[in-house]
Amino acid sequence: MTSETRDGTPIQGSHIKETSSSFGITPEQYMLPAAQQIRMLDPEGKLIPEAAQGTSPGHEYPIPEDDALLAAYEALVVGRRVNDQNYALVRQGRLAVYPSSHGQEACQVGAALALGTGDWMFPTYRDTVATITRGVDPLEVMVSFRGDWHCGYDPLQYKIAALSTPLTTQLLHAVGVAHAAKLRGEDTVVLAMCGDGATSEGDFHEALNFAAVFEVPVVFFVQNNGYAISVPLSAQTAAPSLAHKAIGYGMAGEQVDGNDMVAVLATLRRAVDLARKNSMPLLLEAITYRMQAHTNADDDSRYRESAEVEQWKQRDPLLRMRTFLTERGVLDAEAETRISGKAEDVAAALRLAMTTEPEMNPLEIFDHVYAAPTAQLREQRAKLADELERSQEG
Amino acid sequence: MANTTTATTTAPAVTTKPTTFAAALNTAMSDAMEGDRSVCVFGEDVGTLGGVFRITDGLTQRFGADRCFDTPLAESGIAGMATGMAINGMRPVIEMQFDAFAYPALEQIFSHIAKTANRSRGRVRLPLVIRIPYGGGVGGVEHHCDSSEAYYAHTPGLKIYTPATVSDAYLMLREAIDSPDPVIFFEPKKLYWTKEAVDLSALRTQYEDAAQDESAPSAGVGAEGRAVVVREGTDVSLISYGPSVSTALKAAEAAAEDGISAEVLDLRSIVPFDDAALEATVTKTGRAVVIAEAQGFVSVAAEIVARIQERSFHSLSSPVKRVTGFDIPYPSPKLEEHHLPSVDRILDALDELQWED
Ligand SMILES: Cc1ncc(C[n+]2csc(CCOP(=O)(O)OP(=O)(O)O)c2C)c(N)n1
Ligand SMILES: [Mg+2]
């Protein structure tokens, strides 16, 4: 069993050694992804026999209990409905921009549900569904897309960082949050999210490397939806998969069917457990697809065939989960009615809130730049206040 | 904090054995670490080695590798991790090994460190310090001598301090560490080994007493946003900061022999900026020369001239002059003397001022 790197220096992180030997496999077998992506539901939503799920020793993922699966389904339905609502709000001109989550809901629901209340999440601009599933009011998330303020919720209250726009910069913050917690002896796990294209950014590399070197419990979760705006993954990397990148940092990587709610929740849960128990990072790559354009401003017909989009419709995460849970006897007509009623309520509340223009105080633009405004900002604030007053008089 | 118009020198500490600028910085960090467990120091070679300039010497040995540690070589990583640690209750003090090697961290600094408080409507503040050895005059090769303060000063949300004396090195670093806002702390590397008779433990008492005092306008001595007149004069104001203050003082000395009484203002804090002190000295002397190592085009020096023009135009008896580095990439060691503001160049600028009505 290998416990040294090839030049004879010990592998950084005894946890890799201990974890792999606890599974009876080598560190390499543990860090490399399983031979095929982890999948529990077939495209129709039928449970795949265990032997064909892609699992192997050290890469085993117990199916979550029925309650958790039903809760995940509910979050899928609500998430899909909120996404549809946002799409409509963009068309009505009530949102300035909206990066769609449609098609990626299983990944985002899984991300939120795998975490405990003391854990942290670092989402991107695309992760509205993850953010609302963790408890933020959809309106608070939409504050930034409506153009009121850059972030509409309190990151400290929800332990969710502001949606990050500069690609992968937030992954390093995730490492820092985990490191601070570790220094204080807390067992906080941090889930750090990014897209496939973003894995080419330097901060992706720096974050994974720092996390492995400092042995902090960060689960890096990549939603591989095949494109970075127009650029396909093949133009981003020559690696066998994004999950394969993990071993280069000395952490375990796994690839999962991102449109399979069961497999996503199972793999994320175990990743979070392992990260917490052994204080170490992991990398999970979820294969999914963005069903709508990058944002409302994008024209996806310029870079992908509609046939491709149609193909992915056959693997819709929500429909697969509905079929599975119905056949399993977990989801009945009554539950379905309750859940779709809830989704409608959430959408209606969002719609209503969006019809009223928020009260904005232009002077607030000066108030949070520093803990106390500088003399210069006080001067500029007074100038704007005076302008506003005169425009009201005039 | 209120700005004072009658800035005076920092209260002189008890005169004792000579202390270096480097020791003052080192002691500021260790005193802060002693008093607050959330203060931690990290960067490249700051642990076992104590930093390439030895500014963090002994901190790992004294406080353990959890509180002062080396990171992998990645400046964006260092700044990004510090951001996360500050989000989660720590007060990181990070070191960039040299001015030009902070550039990989600029995205983290510009897009997050400067903006997080504003983005979150003040809910998330980042009390962190980025220490950057900067400037030339030490015979450094390319990438080791930049004066990069304007890049940061142009970015709202950052505070920019740069001490010019040993006692300010101590007091201002303590103040930076205690600041609720992110501070870029520029250390003039040519001053690291300069010595002054300063009693650091007396400074510690002075700082901590002032920090305790709730009625004080800001923590400590309040160098933030407060320029200080380091030499009084009546004919012309020499405005400078960081590494240029000592050059300005020498020029004032030389000018005195020519019968010109020059006042020297040390800005100390570029952001926030002390407009009141600038106005006070220019109103008093009616003439100003701004001195800074950085290239002059679109620089802090340019900003100072603009502010004098806007606020003190009617007090001026002469156009305001600048003595700055040329608008070139920093030259190689054998040529840097031609680039840096020198006493002679400052005296030439004084000659060019309008002296008669
Ligand atoms: C540092 C940086 N560069 C460029 C952009 C502009 N941009 C926004 S999203 C995006 C594509 C990202 O693709 P991917 O990581 O695959 O995520 P997806 O949008 O597909 O979820 C780009 C280039 C950005 N936000 N940040
Ligand atoms: Mg993508």
Coordinates of all heavy atoms in Angstrom, one line a residue, chain A residues 112-186:
Chain A
A112 N -27.6 22.1 -0.8 CA -28.2 22.8 0.4 C -28.6 21.7 1.5 O -28.3 21.9 2.7 CB -29.4 23.6 0.0
L113 N -29.1 20.6 1.0 CA -29.6 19.6 2.0 C -28.5 18.7 2.6 O -28.7 18.1 3.6 CB -30.7 18.7 1.3 CG -31.9 19.4 0.9 CD1 -33.0 18.4 0.3 CD2 -32.5 20.3 2.0
A114 N -27.3 18.7 2.0 CA -26.3 17.9 2.6 C -25.6 18.6 3.8 O -24.9 17.9 4.5 CB -25.2 17.6 1.5
L115 N -25.9 19.9 3.9 CA -25.2 20.6 5.0 C -26.0 20.7 6.3 O -27.2 20.7 6.3 CB -24.9 22.1 4.5 CG -23.9 22.2 3.3 CD1 -23.9 23.6 2.9 CD2 -22.5 21.7 3.7
G116 N -25.3 20.8 7.4 CA -25.9 21.1 8.7 C -26.1 22.6 8.9 O -25.5 23.4 8.1
T117 N -26.8 22.9 9.9 CA -27.1 24.4 10.1 C -25.8 25.2 10.5 O -25.7 26.3 10.1 CB -28.1 24.6 11.3 OG1 -27.7 23.8 12.4 CG2 -29.5 24.3 10.8
G118 N -24.8 24.5 11.1 CA -23.6 25.2 11.4 C -22.6 25.3 10.3 O -21.5 25.9 10.4
D119 N -22.9 24.6 9.2 CA -22.0 24.6 8.0 C -22.2 25.9 7.2 O -23.1 26.6 7.4 CB -22.3 23.3 7.2 CG -22.0 22.1 8.0 OD1 -21.1 22.1 8.9 OD2 -22.6 21.0 7.6
W120 N -21.3 26.0 6.2 CA -21.3 27.2 5.3 C -21.4 26.8 3.9 O -20.9 25.7 3.5 CB -20.0 28.0 5.5 CG -20.0 29.1 6.5 CD1 -19.8 29.0 7.8 CD2 -20.2 30.5 6.2 NE1 -19.9 30.2 8.4 CE2 -20.2 31.2 7.5 CE3 -20.5 31.2 5.1 CZ2 -20.3 32.6 7.6 CZ3 -20.7 32.6 5.2 CH2 -20.6 33.3 6.4
M121 N -22.0 27.6 3.1 CA -22.1 27.4 1.7 C -21.6 28.6 0.9 O -21.9 29.7 1.3 CB -23.6 27.1 1.3 CG -23.8 26.7 -0.1 SD -25.5 26.0 -0.3 CE -26.4 27.5 -0.7
F122 N -20.8 28.4 -0.2 CA -20.3 29.5 -1.0 C -20.8 29.3 -2.4 O -20.2 28.6 -3.2 CB -18.8 29.5 -0.9 CG -18.3 30.2 0.3 CD1 -18.3 29.5 1.5 CD2 -17.8 31.5 0.2 CE1 -17.8 30.2 2.7 CE2 -17.4 32.2 1.4 CZ -17.4 31.5 2.6
P123 N -21.9 29.9 -2.8 CA -22.5 29.7 -4.1 C -22.0 30.6 -5.1 O -21.4 31.6 -4.8 CB -24.0 29.9 -3.8 CG -24.0 30.9 -2.7 CD -22.7 30.7 -1.9
T124 N -22.4 30.4 -6.4 CA -22.1 31.3 -7.5 C -23.5 32.0 -7.9 O -24.5 31.6 -7.4 CB -21.6 30.6 -8.7 OG1 -22.7 29.9 -9.4 CG2 -20.5 29.6 -8.4
Y125 N -23.3 32.9 -8.9 CA -24.5 33.5 -9.5 C -25.6 32.6 -9.9 O -26.7 32.9 -10.1 CB -24.0 34.4 -10.7 CG -23.2 33.6 -11.6 CD1 -23.7 32.8 -12.6 CD2 -21.8 33.5 -11.4 CE1 -23.0 32.0 -13.4 CE2 -21.0 32.6 -12.2 CZ -21.6 31.9 -13.2 OH -20.8 31.1 -14.0
R126 N -25.2 31.3 -10.3 CA -26.2 30.4 -10.8 C -27.0 29.6 -9.7 O -27.9 28.9 -10.0 CB -25.5 29.4 -11.8 CG -26.6 28.6 -12.5 CD -26.1 27.8 -13.7 NE -25.3 28.6 -14.7 CZ -25.7 29.5 -15.5 NH1 -27.0 29.9 -15.5 NH2 -24.9 30.2 -16.3
D127 N -26.6 29.8 -8.5 CA -27.1 28.9 -7.5 C -28.3 29.4 -6.6 O -28.3 29.2 -5.4 CB -25.9 28.5 -6.5 CG -24.8 27.8 -7.3 OD1 -25.2 26.9 -8.1 OD2 -23.6 28.1 -7.2
T128 N -29.2 30.1 -7.3 CA -30.4 30.6 -6.6 C -31.1 29.4 -5.9 O -31.6 29.6 -4.8 CB -31.3 31.2 -7.7 OG1 -30.7 32.4 -8.2 CG2 -32.6 31.6 -7.1
V129 N -31.3 28.3 -6.6 CA -32.0 27.2 -6.0 C -31.4 26.7 -4.7 O -32.0 26.4 -3.7 CB -32.3 26.1 -7.0 CG1 -32.9 24.9 -6.4 CG2 -33.3 26.6 -8.1
A130 N -30.0 26.6 -4.8 CA -29.3 26.1 -3.6 C -29.5 27.1 -2.4 O -29.7 26.7 -1.3 CB -27.8 26.0 -3.9
T131 N -29.5 28.4 -2.8 CA -29.6 29.4 -1.7 C -31.0 29.4 -1.1 O -31.2 29.5 0.1 CB -29.3 30.8 -2.4 OG1 -28.0 30.6 -3.1 CG2 -29.2 31.8 -1.3
I132 N -32.1 29.3 -1.9 CA -33.4 29.3 -1.4 C -33.7 28.0 -0.6 O -34.4 28.0 0.4 CB -34.5 29.6 -2.4 CG1 -34.6 28.6 -3.5 CG2 -34.4 31.0 -3.0 CD1 -35.8 28.7 -4.4
T133 N -33.1 26.9 -1.1 CA -33.3 25.6 -0.4 C -32.7 25.7 1.0 O -33.2 25.0 1.9 CB -32.7 24.5 -1.2 OG1 -33.3 24.5 -2.6 CG2 -33.0 23.1 -0.6
R134 N -31.6 26.4 1.1 CA -31.0 26.5 2.5 C -31.8 27.5 3.3 O -31.4 27.8 4.5 CB -29.6 26.9 2.3 CG -28.8 26.8 3.7 CD -27.3 26.8 3.4 NE -26.5 27.1 4.6 CZ -26.3 26.3 5.6 NH1 -26.7 25.1 5.6 NH2 -25.6 26.7 6.7
G135 N -32.8 28.2 2.8 CA -33.7 28.9 3.7 C -33.8 30.4 3.4 O -34.5 31.1 4.1
V136 N -33.1 30.9 2.4 CA -33.2 32.4 2.1 C -34.5 32.6 1.4 O -34.8 31.9 0.4 CB -32.0 32.9 1.3 CG1 -32.0 34.4 1.1 CG2 -30.7 32.5 2.0
D137 N -35.2 33.7 1.7 CA -36.4 34.0 1.0 C -36.0 34.4 -0.4 O -35.1 35.1 -0.7 CB -37.0 35.3 1.7 CG -38.3 35.7 1.1 OD1 -38.4 35.8 -0.2 OD2 -39.2 35.9 1.9
P138 N -36.7 33.8 -1.4 CA -36.4 34.1 -2.8 C -36.3 35.6 -3.1 O -35.4 36.0 -3.9 CB -37.6 33.4 -3.6 CG -38.1 32.4 -2.7 CD -37.8 32.8 -1.3
L139 N -37.1 36.4 -2.5 CA -37.0 37.8 -2.8 C -35.7 38.4 -2.4 O -35.1 39.2 -3.1 CB -38.1 38.5 -2.0 CG -38.1 40.1 -2.2 CD1 -38.5 40.4 -3.6 CD2 -39.0 40.7 -1.2
E140 N -35.1 37.9 -1.2 CA -33.8 38.4 -0.8 C -32.7 38.0 -1.7 O -31.8 38.7 -1.9 CB -33.5 37.8 0.6 CG -34.3 38.4 1.7 CD -33.9 38.0 3.1 OE1 -32.9 37.3 3.3 OE2 -34.5 38.4 4.1
V141 N -32.9 36.8 -2.4 CA -31.9 36.4 -3.4 C -32.0 37.3 -4.6 O -31.0 37.7 -5.3 CB -32.0 34.9 -3.8 CG1 -30.9 34.5 -4.7 CG2 -32.1 34.1 -2.5
M142 N -33.3 37.6 -5.0 CA -33.5 38.4 -6.2 C -33.1 39.9 -6.1 O -33.0 40.6 -7.1 CB -35.0 38.3 -6.6 CG -35.4 36.9 -7.2 SD -34.2 36.4 -8.5 CE -33.5 35.0 -7.7
V143 N -32.9 40.3 -4.9 CA -32.5 41.7 -4.7 C -31.4 42.1 -5.6 O -31.4 43.2 -6.2 CB -32.2 42.0 -3.2 CG1 -31.3 43.2 -3.0 CG2 -33.4 42.1 -2.4
S144 N -30.4 41.3 -5.7 CA -29.2 41.6 -6.5 C -29.6 41.6 -8.0 O -29.1 42.4 -8.8 CB -28.0 40.7 -6.3 OG -28.4 39.4 -6.5
F145 N -30.4 40.6 -8.5 CA -30.7 40.5 -9.9 C -31.8 41.6 -10.3 O -31.9 41.9 -11.4 CB -31.3 39.1 -10.2 CG -30.3 38.0 -10.0 CD1 -30.5 36.9 -9.2 CD2 -29.0 38.1 -10.6 CE1 -29.5 36.0 -9.0 CE2 -28.1 37.1 -10.5 CZ -28.3 36.1 -9.7
R146 N -32.5 42.1 -9.3 CA -33.4 43.2 -9.6 C -32.7 44.5 -9.7 O -33.1 45.5 -10.3 CB -34.5 43.3 -8.5 CG -35.5 44.4 -8.7 CD -36.7 44.2 -7.9 NE -36.5 44.3 -6.4 CZ -37.5 44.4 -5.5 NH1 -38.7 44.3 -5.9 NH2 -37.2 44.5 -4.3
G147 N -31.5 44.5 -9.1 CA -30.6 45.7 -9.2 C -30.8 46.7 -8.0 O -30.5 47.9 -8.1
D148 N -31.3 46.2 -6.9 CA -31.4 47.0 -5.7 C -30.1 47.2 -5.0 O -29.7 48.3 -4.6 CB -32.4 46.4 -4.7 CG -33.8 46.1 -5.3 OD1 -34.0 46.5 -6.5 OD2 -34.6 45.5 -4.6
W149 N -29.5 46.1 -4.7 CA -28.2 46.1 -4.0 C -27.4 44.9 -4.4 O -28.0 43.9 -4.9 CB -28.4 46.1 -2.4 CG -27.2 46.6 -1.7 CD1 -26.2 45.8 -1.2 CD2 -26.9 47.9 -1.4 NE1 -25.3 46.6 -0.6 CE2 -25.6 47.9 -0.7 CE3 -27.5 49.2 -1.6 CZ2 -25.0 49.1 -0.3 CZ3 -26.9 50.3 -1.2 CH2 -25.6 50.3 -0.5
H150 N -26.1 44.8 -4.1 CA -25.3 43.7 -4.6 C -25.7 42.4 -4.0 O -25.4 41.3 -4.5 CB -23.8 44.0 -4.5 CG -23.4 45.2 -5.2 ND1 -23.8 45.5 -6.5 CD2 -22.7 46.3 -4.8 CE1 -23.3 46.7 -6.9 NE2 -22.7 47.2 -5.9
C151 N -26.1 42.4 -2.7 CA -26.5 41.2 -2.1 C -27.7 41.5 -1.2 O -27.7 42.5 -0.5 CB -25.4 40.6 -1.2 SG -25.8 39.2 -0.3
G152 N -28.7 40.7 -1.2 CA -30.0 41.0 -0.5 C -30.2 40.3 0.8 O -31.2 40.6 1.5
Y153 N -29.3 39.3 1.2 CA -29.5 38.6 2.4 C -28.3 38.8 3.3 O -27.2 39.2 2.8 CB -29.8 37.1 2.1 CG -28.8 36.4 1.3 CD1 -27.7 35.8 1.8 CD2 -28.9 36.4 -0.1 CE1 -26.7 35.2 1.0 CE2 -28.0 35.7 -0.9 CZ -26.9 35.1 -0.3 OH -26.0 34.5 -1.1
D154 N -28.4 38.4 4.5 CA -27.3 38.5 5.5 C -26.5 37.2 5.4 O -27.0 36.2 5.9 CB -27.9 38.7 6.9 CG -26.8 38.9 7.9 OD1 -25.6 38.7 7.6 OD2 -27.1 39.2 9.1
P155 N -25.3 37.2 4.9 CA -24.5 36.0 4.8 C -24.3 35.4 6.1 O -24.2 34.1 6.2 CB -23.2 36.5 4.2 CG -23.6 37.8 3.4 CD -24.7 38.4 4.2
L156 N -24.1 36.2 7.2 CA -23.8 35.6 8.5 C -25.0 34.8 9.1 O -24.8 33.8 9.7 CB -23.3 36.6 9.4 CG -22.0 37.4 9.0 CD1 -21.6 38.5 10.0 CD2 -20.8 36.4 8.8
Q157 N -26.2 35.4 8.8 CA -27.4 34.8 9.3 C -27.6 33.4 8.7 O -27.9 32.4 9.5 CB -28.6 35.7 9.0 CG -29.9 35.1 9.6 CD -31.1 35.8 9.0 OE1 -31.0 37.0 8.5 NE2 -32.3 35.2 9.0
Y158 N -27.4 33.2 7.4 CA -27.7 32.0 6.8 C -26.5 31.1 6.6 O -26.6 30.0 6.2 CB -28.3 32.2 5.4 CG -29.6 33.0 5.4 CD1 -29.7 34.3 5.1 CD2 -30.8 32.3 5.7 CE1 -30.9 35.0 5.1 CE2 -32.0 33.0 5.8 CZ -32.1 34.3 5.5 OH -33.3 35.0 5.5
K159 N -25.3 31.7 6.9 CA -24.0 31.0 6.6 C -24.0 30.6 5.1 O -23.7 29.5 4.7 CB -23.8 29.8 7.5 CG -23.6 30.2 9.0 CD -23.1 29.0 9.8 CE -22.4 29.4 11.1 NZ -23.3 30.2 12.0
I160 N -24.4 31.6 4.3 CA -24.3 31.5 2.9 C -23.6 32.8 2.4 O -24.1 33.9 2.6 CB -25.6 31.4 2.2 CG1 -26.5 30.3 2.8 CG2 -25.5 31.3 0.7 CD1 -27.9 30.2 2.2
A161 N -22.4 32.7 1.8 CA -21.8 33.9 1.3 C -22.6 34.5 0.2 O -23.5 33.8 -0.4 CB -20.4 33.5 0.7
A162 N -22.4 35.7 -0.1 CA -23.0 36.4 -1.2 C -22.7 35.6 -2.5 O -21.6 35.1 -2.6 CB -22.5 37.8 -1.3
L163 N -23.7 35.5 -3.4 CA -23.5 34.8 -4.6 C -22.2 35.4 -5.3 O -22.2 36.6 -5.4 CB -24.7 35.0 -5.6 CG -26.1 34.6 -5.1 CD1 -27.1 34.8 -6.2 CD2 -26.1 33.2 -4.7
S164 N -21.3 34.6 -5.6 CA -20.0 35.1 -6.2 C -20.1 35.2 -7.7 O -20.4 34.2 -8.4 CB -18.9 34.2 -5.7 OG -17.7 34.8 -6.2
T165 N -19.7 36.3 -8.2 CA -19.6 36.5 -9.6 C -18.2 36.3 -10.2 O -18.0 35.6 -11.2 CB -20.1 37.9 -10.0 OG1 -21.4 38.1 -9.5 CG2 -20.2 38.1 -11.5
P166 N -17.1 36.9 -9.6 CA -15.8 36.6 -10.1 C -15.4 35.1 -9.9 O -15.3 34.6 -8.8 CB -14.9 37.5 -9.3 CG -15.8 38.5 -8.6 CD -17.1 37.7 -8.4
L167 N -15.3 34.4 -11.0 CA -15.2 33.0 -11.0 C -14.2 32.4 -10.0 O -13.0 32.8 -10.1 CB -15.0 32.4 -12.4 CG -16.0 32.8 -13.4 CD1 -15.6 32.4 -14.8 CD2 -17.4 32.2 -13.1
T168 N -14.6 31.5 -9.2 CA -13.8 30.7 -8.2 C -13.1 31.5 -7.1 O -12.4 31.0 -6.3 CB -12.7 29.8 -8.9 OG1 -11.7 30.6 -9.5 CG2 -13.3 28.9 -9.9
T169 N -13.2 32.8 -7.1 CA -12.6 33.6 -6.0 C -13.2 33.2 -4.7 O -12.5 33.2 -3.7 CB -12.9 35.1 -6.2 OG1 -14.3 35.3 -6.4 CG2 -12.2 35.7 -7.4
Q170 N -14.5 32.7 -4.7 CA -15.1 32.4 -3.4 C -14.6 31.1 -2.9 O -14.8 30.8 -1.7 CB -16.7 32.3 -3.6 CG -17.2 31.1 -4.4 CD -17.0 31.2 -5.9 OE1 -16.4 32.1 -6.4 NE2 -17.5 30.2 -6.6
L171 N -14.0 30.2 -3.7 CA -13.5 29.0 -3.2 C -12.4 29.2 -2.1 O -12.3 28.4 -1.2 CB -13.0 28.1 -4.3 CG -13.9 27.8 -5.5 CD1 -13.2 26.9 -6.5 CD2 -15.2 27.3 -5.1
L172 N -11.6 30.2 -2.3 CA -10.6 30.5 -1.3 C -11.2 31.0 0.0 O -10.7 30.8 1.0 CB -9.6 31.5 -1.9 CG -8.6 31.0 -2.9 CD1 -8.0 32.0 -3.7 CD2 -7.5 30.2 -2.1
H173 N -12.3 31.8 -0.2 CA -13.0 32.2 1.1 C -13.5 31.0 1.8 O -13.5 31.0 3.1 CB -14.1 33.2 0.7 CG -13.7 34.3 -0.2 ND1 -14.6 35.1 -0.9 CD2 -12.5 34.8 -0.5 CE1 -14.0 35.9 -1.6 NE2 -12.7 35.8 -1.4
A174 N -14.0 30.0 1.1 CA -14.5 28.8 1.7 C -13.4 28.2 2.5 O -13.6 27.7 3.7 CB -15.0 27.9 0.7
V175 N -12.2 28.1 1.9 CA -11.0 27.5 2.6 C -10.7 28.3 3.9 O -10.5 27.8 5.0 CB -9.8 27.5 1.7 CG1 -8.6 27.0 2.4 CG2 -10.1 26.6 0.5
G176 N -10.8 29.6 3.8 CA -10.5 30.5 5.0 C -11.5 30.3 6.1 O -11.2 30.2 7.3
V177 N -12.8 30.2 5.7 CA -13.9 30.0 6.7 C -13.6 28.6 7.4 O -13.7 28.5 8.7 CB -15.3 30.0 6.1 CG1 -16.3 29.4 7.0 CG2 -15.6 31.4 5.7
A178 N -13.3 27.6 6.6 CA -13.0 26.3 7.2 C -11.8 26.3 8.1 O -11.7 25.7 9.2 CB -12.9 25.3 6.1
H179 N -10.8 27.1 7.7 CA -9.5 27.1 8.4 C -9.7 27.8 9.8 O -9.2 27.4 10.8 CB -8.4 27.8 7.6 CG -7.0 27.6 8.2 ND1 -6.1 28.5 8.3 CD2 -6.5 26.4 8.7 CE1 -5.0 28.1 8.8 NE2 -5.2 26.8 9.0
A180 N -10.5 28.9 9.7 CA -10.7 29.6 11.0 C -11.5 28.7 11.9 O -11.2 28.6 13.1 CB -11.5 30.9 10.7
A181 N -12.5 28.0 11.4 CA -13.2 27.1 12.3 C -12.4 26.0 12.8 O -12.4 25.7 14.0 CB -14.4 26.5 11.4
K182 N -11.5 25.5 12.0 CA -10.6 24.4 12.5 C -9.7 24.9 13.6 O -9.5 24.2 14.6 CB -9.8 23.9 11.3 CG -8.8 22.7 11.6 CD -8.1 22.2 10.5 CE -7.0 21.2 10.9 NZ -6.2 20.7 9.8
L183 N -9.1 26.1 13.4 CA -8.2 26.6 14.4 C -9.0 26.8 15.8 O -8.4 26.7 16.8 CB -7.7 28.0 14.0 CG -6.7 28.0 12.8 CD1 -6.3 29.4 12.5 CD2 -5.5 27.1 13.2
R184 N -10.3 27.0 15.7 CA -11.0 27.2 17.0 C -11.6 25.8 17.4 O -12.3 25.8 18.4 CB -12.2 28.1 16.7 CG -11.8 29.6 16.6 CD -13.0 30.5 16.8 NE -14.0 30.3 15.8 CZ -14.1 31.1 14.7 NH1 -13.3 32.0 14.5 NH2 -15.1 30.8 13.9
G185 N -11.3 24.8 16.7 CA -11.8 23.4 17.1 C -13.2 23.2 16.8 O -13.8 22.3 17.4
E186 N -13.8 23.9 15.9 CA -15.2 23.7 15.5 C -15.2 22.7 14.3 O -14.2 22.7 13.5 CB -15.8 25.0 15.1 CG -15.9 26.0 16.2 CD -16.0 27.5 15.7 OE1 -16.2 27.7 14.5 OE2 -16.0 28.4 16.6

